[in-house]
Amino acid sequence: MTTYLITGVAGFIGSHLADALLAQGHGVRGLDNFATGKRGNIPAGVDFIEADLANADAVASACLGVDAILHEGALPSVPRSVKEPRPSHNANLDGTFNLLEGARAAGIRRVIYAASSSAYGNQPGFPRVETMTPQPIAPYPVQKLAGELYMQSYARVYGMETVCLRYFNIFGPRQAPDSPYSGVIAKWALQMLEGQQPTIQGDGEQGRDFTYIANAVSANLLALNAPAGNVAGRVFNVACGERISLNDTYRLLAKITGYTGAPVYTEPRAGDIRNSLADISAAREAFGYAPVVNFETGLERTVEWCRTQSAAAELPRG
Ligand code: UD1
């Protein structure tokens, strides 16, 4: 049986990857420190280790005996990293280094890394192509980009098959909706369902290549199984290849949730990126990636999940 280690297994993306690998009959070992993940997200059948990525020994022992690693563990959020850069740095960069050192000592062949589209920054030129020079702005994209460079170094120097997947605004069920650092779709879906007025930071004409979680899962599975010559040491955009404005996102979400209120417009967020749109041809050519769930269907599934969460929260306790 093939066994995979997933870091951040209690988180939004990690737990979906665990579901998919278990459904394919593989073994899954998972690591998480519950900084942002939830115990309830970890599927039954995961060999779970509660540890911090900062704990190099724990990370190294988690790497022993697995066939490949999906490194999703991170302290997400661009604004969080602006407010408190050190915890983000420790989790996202030191944690990634610990993971790579653990993988090297354990002789792991392939590591898939959750990279970020925020590495492109605010430079001109759309869609974003992997050959563009990154221009990260906030600490978070710098950390995520430095992690990519480490991944590529380990591919070149040690022959490890590292693959960097630059996620573009992944959304879907289990993305935390209730933190100040929540992704905009999860946050708005919950607010609209609860009848609270959502906020649009800026004029709402900023755009994102919002990508439903099933697409990110599909990209990971394809990258895990692709020939090394196509993927090792490389960086790939993972997105849908379509830009949607925040205003349009708001309108669609309002329609799906039945919310009729107008948004409050505030100042743009410090360090925010104006637009994001990916060229996804490199992933298609290297490992046959294509989006499997479109934006609107993804929104419907996300709202459906939020409804079940709100309903469960209203059940009497005890
Ligand atoms: C997101 C990811 C980040 C990833 C990046 C690139 C989250 C929490 N962050 O950052 O990890 O690296 O994509 O893939 O998923 N907004 C509002 N109102 C709100 C909340 C947000 O208008 O209540 C706006 C923000 O100002 C921003 C946009 O929505 O313009 C998207 O924000 P957010 O969901 O936090 O994502 P990114 O910052 O793009």
Side-chain angles (χ1 to χ4, degrees):
M1 185 168 72
T2 311
T3 302
Y4 297 100
L5 169 65
I6 302 175
T7 67
V9 75
F12 161 48
I13 299 178
S15 65
H16 281 281
L17 290 171
D19 283 342
L21 290 169
L22 289 168
Q24 291 188 343
H26 301 300
V28 174
R29 183 180 296 161
L31 183 121
D32 209 294
N33 65 350
F34 299 117
T36 60
K38 294 199 173 90
R39 201 172 286 274
N41 285 345
I42 306 172
V46 170
D47 168 20
F48 180 66
I49 300 163
E50 182 172 348
D52 203 299
L53 285 166
N55 182 342
D57 291 341
V59 171
S61 70
C63 291
L64 293 173
V66 301
D67 296 278
I69 299 174
L70 298 132
H71 179 41
E72 311 300 311
L75 203 50
S77 169
V78 175
R80 187 204 309 263
S81 77
V82 171
K83 191 153 182 256
E84 283 188 288
R86 190 177 295 280
S88 291
H89 177 96
N90 291 344
N92 300 341
L93 189 51
D94 295 341
T96 294
F97 176 69
N98 287 340
L99 189 275
L100 278 171
E101 275 296 90
R104 182 166 76 93
I108 306 299
R109 187 175 51 86
R110 188 165 296 189
V111 176
I112 315 284
Y113 169 66
S116 172
S117 62
S118 56
Y120 291 109
N122 254 336
Q123 62 186 298
F126 291 97
R128 301 311 200 193
V129 188
E130 293 87 341
T131 47
M132 285 175 166
T133 304
Q135 290 184 19
I137 300 166
Y140 174 86
V142 170
Q143 296 148 11
K144 279 284 171 181
L145 178 65
E148 282 186 20
L149 296 175
Y150 257 128
M151 289 287 153
Q152 294 185 308
S153 166
Y154 275 57
R156 292 190 190 115
V157 177
Y158 305 114
M160 196 184 283
E161 297 169 11
T162 58
V163 188
C164 300
L165 301 181
R166 279 188 188 158
Y167 295 151
F168 281 66
N169 289 77
I170 312 298
F171 73 97
R174 296 190 204 140
Q175 190 171 33
D178 49 3
S179 127
Y181 303 122
S182 290
V184 67
I185 290 177
K187 199 168 161 188
W188 284 357
L190 182 71
Q191 287 173 330
M192 289 181 181
L193 287 175
E194 295 189 340
Q196 294 164 15
Q197 188 176 29
T199 297
I200 295 187
Q201 296 161 333
D203 63 4
E205 285 308 305
Q206 69 266 47
R208 293 291 187 272
D209 195 335
F210 286 113
T211 303
Y212 186 65
I213 179 68
N215 302 318
V217 169
S218 169
N220 274 274
L221 299 183
L222 290 165
L224 265 180
N225 294 305
N230 291 13
V231 296
R234 293 188 59 193
V235 176
F236 299 97
N237 292 338
V238 171
C240 286
E242 285 173 24
R243 174 197 169 279
I244 298 113
S245 75
L246 271 273
N247 286 325
D248 285 343
T249 302
Y250 187 96
R251 279 190 278 275
L252 277 168
L253 265 180
K255 192 177 82 183
I256 296 166
T257 56
Y259 183 78
T260 52
V264 184
Y265 286 86
T266 62
E267 283 299 297
R269 196 173 68 190
D272 195 34
I273 281 174
R274 183 70 180 164
N275 276 310
S276 182
L277 171 66
D279 180 323
I280 52 174
S281 51
R284 184 176 61 235
E285 282 154 26
F287 48 87
Y289 167 76
V292 288
V293 174
N294 70 25
F295 179 59
E296 219 169 320
T297 305
L299 283 186
E300 283 163 7
R301 292 190 190 173
T302 305
V303 169
E304 195 46 49
W305 177 81
C306 279
R307 281 191 210 281
T308 63
Q309 297 300 295
S310 312
E314 278 162 23
L315 287 175
R317 287 171 209 273

